[in-house]
Amino acid sequence: MIPENKLNSVVNNVYAVDFYSIDKPLLAAVGGKAANLTELSRINEIQVPEGFCVTTEVYKKITEHNQELHDLLDKLAGLKAEDRTEISKISARIRTIIENTPIAEDIAEVIREHLTNFGEKDAFAVRSSATAEDLPTASFAGQQDTYLNIIGSEAVLKHISKCWASLFTDRAVIYRLQNGFDHRKVHLAVIVQKMIFSQVSGILFTADPLTSNRKVLTIDAGYGLGEAMVSGLVNADNYKVSKGAIIDKTISTKEMGIYSLNDGGTKEEKIGIELQNRQVLTDEQILQLERIGRKIEEHFGKPQDIEWCFADDAFYIVQSRPITTLFPVPEANDKENHVYISVGHQQMMTDPMKPLGLSLWQLRAGRPMFKAAGRLFVDVADSLATTSGTENLIDAMGQHDPLIKDALLTIVKRGDFIRSLPNDGKAPVIVKSSKGMSSADILAQIGNDPKIVFDLIKNDEISIQTLKQNIQSKTGLELFDFILEDIQQSKKMIFHTQHMGVIVAAMNAASWLNEKMNKWLGEKNVSDVLSQSVSNNITSEMGLALLDVADVIRPHASIIKYLQEVKSDNFLEEIVMLNGGQEVRDAINAFLNKYGMRCAGEIDITKTRWRENPQILFPIILNNIKNFEPGAAKRLFEQGLQEAMKKERSLLDQLEQLPDGEQRAKETKTMIDLIRSFVGYREYPKYGIVNRFFIYKQALLKEVEKLLQANIIHEKEDAYYLTFQELQETVLTGKLDYQLIAQRKDEHRLNKKLNPPRVITSDGEIITGKYKRENLPVDAIVGLPVSSGIIEGRARVILNMEEADLEDGDILVTSFTDPSWTPLFVSIKGLITEVGGLMTHGAVIAREYGLPAIVGVEQATRLIKDGQRIRLNGTDGFVVIL
């Protein structure tokens, strides 16, 4: 416990400062690690080895006037993380310069003075504390070097210089380049801390880093000094603890430890045979460490990654930092158990959304949605609390995303998380399964009149035209009220019985056909072929329409050259000056008038639409010109139609040869007609929503323009970091807190680094589902089969649609595809995505285009390398790397 008089002492020296004298204003001068040690030393009953911090002021004095150093920093700033050889060469020179720069005598004297507070024979740990290290939005842990068991003031001074130099190890430089940190703006303070000669040491996470469960604390423990474990040099025991009980132990074989030498430095030493397989900590010590960890976590207010050591029957804490890799738990204002499923995995957009997009999507949702790391989640705990609710939800998720389905089944089977409610039979049925339904039952859901789809589309088109007209006259607060009212009206259309009935009837008809044809004829996934080239699929029509645009451009070499090089925002005005330019501009405008509201990640209103930047489409158009002959759109559609008709004739002919064949063929023909009439409409509702949202966006940006002119907002994009309600308030008051904008931008940058889970509980536990598959080839990469066929080809791993450079026969591998990716589908022969389900957009379009496809392939973009030759089996759902 630090004495009160020391806690309140005033910092008189800018070169070095004791832990107990550091306060928040000094963060910039001491770095995150030292600031955290100060916080730790102020927690009752937490023991922190004494020490002091050499501030960044000293580092600045050492480096500020060294011209050679600054020239090298200029060179370093111009490099990319991939330039490893050049980084290594420049970094080595910088380290040499820093290590060889003497510390001014007045500064050295201040450091020696701090060392007099310790005994002459005391040893020290000398460690970095970077100004960008261990901050809430970044962990630079392990990027700089630590030196242990340093004895004597001259040795301490020498290793302080070594610490400064380690700011320019190759790994530290590459980390900064990858994360966008300016080398000049990251300064290094150095911690000098009394050495604890620990018999045992380790790391403690107050949340399980594997499952993210905040109620499970994990401890790694090994013999000797902790630095070996942090660096991954030695094995360690692992203990898991929850609520005062040890729930799991892994006792490893510990052959090596790192220990201190008497005259300074460390050595590796073999562990005695009798200790190698012994539990390092007693159960009592494990539980004591859990209490310490929870106390520290409570003090900092978030899960912590803690370094500890044990010496002379006491635990010492030598570091604590936030765990920056945990996905945050969605916000809920109660202590009930919740099960959250990802909206993004169902909407094919797992990137973080900005606040304006997030809030608008929440407003249009049919049920409450919860935020976490820029993503949206829905709580399904109530559905899982009843038998009927569980059955409905599990069945629906089987259609959307089987990995979500399996994760939910895992929670239900545990039986200890969801409180069961009386089953009153009134759980809402959103998607009724085709299991056990006859063809007549499915037909009764909606009928089989193609005019139903025509009427639904026509009604939406009329509604969109009315919205465009009426919104023109709305400004200020009236505009915000008008948008809120329109969202409510459009929700009624989306959840209309007939609208949902068409989609469900098509899904159930497809399931019926797959089940019956497999049972009666031994044919798998027949609905995939039968779904090719159907009518009224707005998304697949979009891909073919861009082929038609390519046909208009193809004859004009000067325009092709222009599109390859264009950088101007006024290209549509400039293009008419070229031969054929007017015709080309008309074709592009016609496409944009129908599809210009689309873009990658389109559920986020803040994303740039094709109408806002048509140049996004140029690489795809140029690919179409390169890969296709004129008239390809019509040929592709006709080819798919012929394949579907051929499959239909084959099935009906085979069925008629069976007992009761005439009746079976009649039922099957009815289901085929239902798919051909209705399945294309599955894509229309999203198109309608995105269409409306773009109209809202254009109107809202007119209000933002007024804020720009009044200097209330600095840049148009800054408005995207406000929620809909906050933007409304800014328009009303003419006031904006720019600290909030800066904070949101930082949060968004952090959110981009986090991968959202499919399912997460209110405990913070991420539940991962698994595919249950047998008789697969060795080394097969497994996913969900959504479009039949087997194909071999070159894998093209593409994360950004605009960077796609595809050749005929390529197989597209990406994290997710929403409708904006459809124009690429005409150029590929197969599709693999990390996210998706049977009825998500990529799956629907792959079936219509006749592309073998599997979705929900965990880590696909990492497991498959760009350019590898692969075999994709869309019938059984796996990939083999050839």
Side-chain angles (χ1 to χ4, degrees), residues 3-153:
E4 188 66 30
N5 65 325
K6 283 191 175 183
L7 275 176
N8 296 325
S9 69
V10 179
V11 179
N12 293 317
N13 199 308
V14 294
Y15 296 148
V17 57
D18 294 324
F19 289 163
Y20 53 75
S21 300
I22 298 171
D23 55 17
K24 284 183 180 176
L26 268 172
L27 178 62
V30 300
K33 191 175 287 181
N36 287 353
L37 283 169
T38 295
E39 284 296 311
L40 285 166
S41 66
R42 291 174 180 173
I43 307 173
N44 283 336
E45 299 172 16
I46 300 297
Q47 297 199 63
V48 177
E50 288 185 273
F52 61 94
C53 181
V54 179
T55 69
T56 56
E57 288 300 310
V58 182
Y59 173 80
K60 289 174 190 173
K61 282 188 175 293
I62 290 290
T63 58
E64 63 187 349
H65 298 305
N66 191 315
Q67 191 55 52
E68 184 185 2
L69 175 63
H70 287 287
D71 290 344
L72 289 167
L73 287 175
D74 288 339
K75 288 182 183 177
L76 210 53
L79 298 177
K80 294 181 179 174
E82 299 80 51
D83 303 326
R84 301 294 170 97
T85 304
E86 195 63 16
I87 286 170
S88 186
K89 188 169 78 173
I90 296 172
S91 298
R93 181 66 194 135
I94 291 174
R95 290 197 301 275
T96 300
I97 291 170
I98 292 174
E99 282 194 52
N100 291 337
T101 301
I103 299 173
E105 186 54 36
D106 61 328
I107 297 173
E109 194 52 45
V110 170
I111 294 169
R112 291 190 194 103
E113 190 179 324
H114 276 274
L115 289 170
T116 62
N117 294 323
F118 301 88
E120 280 187 26
K121 294 184 180 179
D122 278 344
F124 299 92
V126 181
R127 322 172 76 181
S128 69
S129 183
T131 52
E133 189 173 21
D134 301 333
L135 298 177
T137 56
S139 177
F140 280 38
Q143 297 305 315
Q144 282 79 52
D145 291 340
T146 291
Y147 302 95
L148 301 177
N149 197 27
I150 308 303
I151 301 172
S153 60

Side-chain angles (χ1 to χ4, degrees), residues 615-872:
Q615 293 183 43
I616 295 169
L617 294 169
F618 290 176
I620 305 170
I621 294 171
L622 292 168
N623 259 332
N624 287 346
I625 292 169
K626 178 179 72 172
N627 293 332
F628 293 95
E629 296 295 320
K634 187 175 180 182
R635 278 197 310 278
L636 285 171
F637 186 84
E638 191 59 33
Q639 181 184 328
L641 183 60
Q642 291 305 317
E643 287 183 19
M645 295 301 100
K646 181 181 173 185
K647 173 59 76 175
E648 177 181 327
R649 286 193 299 273
S650 169
L651 293 173
L652 298 179
D653 287 348
Q654 290 179 75
L655 287 170
E656 285 173 355
Q657 309 306 313
L658 300 177
D660 299 325
E662 191 177 333
Q663 177 60 30
R664 292 184 186 189
K666 183 181 175 185
E667 285 186 277
T668 300
K669 171 63 174 164
T670 302
M671 291 296 98
I672 292 172
D673 288 348
L674 199 149
I675 279 188
R676 303 284 312 165
S677 297
F678 286 173
V679 80
Y681 182 71
R682 166 68 181 82
E683 289 295 299
Y684 196 86
K686 181 96 171 268
Y687 172 81
I689 293 166
V690 172
N691 214 341
R692 301 187 95 81
F693 270 40
F694 186 48
I695 297 167
Y696 301 159
K697 181 180 185 179
Q698 290 171 305
L700 288 170
L701 286 179
K702 288 178 183 175
E703 295 301 313
V704 173
E705 189 61 41
K706 294 175 191 173
L707 296 173
L708 269 170
Q709 290 170 3
N711 289 322
I712 294 165
I713 203 163
H714 302 162
E715 295 175 18
K716 179 185 77 174
E717 286 74 16
D718 288 351
Y720 297 160
Y721 292 93
L722 299 171
T723 66
F724 181 80
Q725 296 83 356
E726 288 165 349
L727 182 56
Q728 182 179 17
E729 183 69 16
T730 302
V731 169
L732 173 66
T733 63
K735 294 177 183 174
L736 179 57
D737 177 7
Y738 250 89
Q739 280 190 322
L740 179 66
I741 301 290
Q743 177 193 330
R744 297 263 174 86
K745 286 181 177 180
D746 285 342
E747 287 171 358
H748 189 68
R749 277 191 288 270
L750 175 62
N751 292 342
K752 283 181 178 178
K753 298 178 184 177
L754 298 174
N755 291 318
R758 282 175 164 82
V759 178
I760 183 170
T761 71
S762 46
D763 283 356
E765 183 181 7
I766 292 170
I767 315 288
T768 53
K770 292 183 176 62
Y771 294 111
K772 293 166 178 66
R773 215 70 65 70
E774 295 175 358
N775 304 320
L776 292 178
V778 178
D779 297 329
I781 301 169
V782 183
L784 174 71
V786 294
S787 186
S788 296
I790 300 171
I791 187 172
E792 292 183 10
R794 179 180 69 156
R796 290 310 318 274
V797 180
I798 296 170
L799 301 180
N800 187 337
M801 190 183 79
E802 294 95 273
E803 295 169 3
D805 181 16
L806 296 162
E807 301 285 348
D808 189 39
D810 283 347
I811 297 170
L812 175 61
V813 183
T814 190
S815 45
F816 59 82
T817 63
D818 61 9
S820 71
W821 286 69
T822 302
L824 291 183
F825 284 22
V826 297
S827 297
I828 61 174
K829 290 294 183 284
L831 174 69
I832 301 166
T833 69
E834 293 178 338
V835 175
L838 196 61
M839 292 306 293
T840 46
H841 304 279
V844 172
I845 303 305
R847 289 194 289 273
E848 176 154 348
Y849 283 174
L851 300 174
I854 63 173
V855 301
V857 183
E858 299 270 71
Q859 306 286 320
T861 57
R862 294 179 180 84
L863 296 173
I864 302 169
K865 301 289 185 287
D866 187 53
Q868 282 182 325
R869 189 161 183 80
I870 61 173
R871 181 183 300 120
L872 163 61

Side-chain angles (χ1 to χ4, degrees), residues 402-423:
L403 291 177
I404 293 180
K405 171 186 173 180
D406 190 63
L408 295 177
L409 283 171
T410 300
I411 293 170
V412 171
K413 284 174 186 171
R414 283 183 186 174
D416 61 351
F417 191 76
I418 298 299
R419 181 171 50 88
S420 294
L421 297 172
N423 192 7

Side-chain angles (χ1 to χ4, degrees), residues 157-198:
L157 289 168
K158 176 184 170 186
H159 284 87
I160 288 170
S161 292
K162 282 180 171 289
C163 250
W164 289 328
S166 74
L167 191 58
F168 293 94
T169 58
D170 291 5
R171 67 179 182 269
V173 169
I174 289 167
Y175 188 90
R176 289 198 294 276
L177 288 171
Q178 288 171 333
N179 289 277
F181 284 92
D182 186 336
H183 302 299
R184 296 178 188 279
K185 291 184 179 174
V186 181
H187 300 127
L188 204 67
V190 178
I191 293 165
V192 180
Q193 192 170 18
K194 186 175 177 181
M195 186 78 187
I196 300 295
F197 297 101
S198 50

Side-chain angles (χ1 to χ4, degrees), residues 572-582:
L572 282 176
E573 284 70 32
E574 294 172 4
I575 211 167
V576 294
M577 309 300 290
L578 301 171
N579 183 36
Q582 185 63 52

Side-chain angles (χ1 to χ4, degrees), residues 573-628:
E573 284 70 32
E574 294 172 4
I575 211 167
V576 294
M577 309 300 290
L578 301 171
N579 183 36
Q582 185 63 52
E583 185 188 6
V584 168
R585 185 171 79 164
D586 290 346
I588 291 173
N589 268 328
F591 181 87
L592 293 174
N593 288 340
K594 188 162 187 180
Y595 304 109
M597 79 296 293
R598 310 218 85 154
C599 70
E602 62 191 10
I603 67 171
D604 182 354
I605 196 176
T606 71
K607 296 270 189 178
T608 303
R609 311 283 135 177
W610 294 341
R611 170 53 84 184
E612 294 172 312
N613 181 16
Q615 293 183 43
I616 295 169
L617 294 169
F618 290 176
I620 305 170
I621 294 171
L622 292 168
N623 259 332
N624 287 346
I625 292 169
K626 178 179 72 172
N627 293 332
F628 293 95

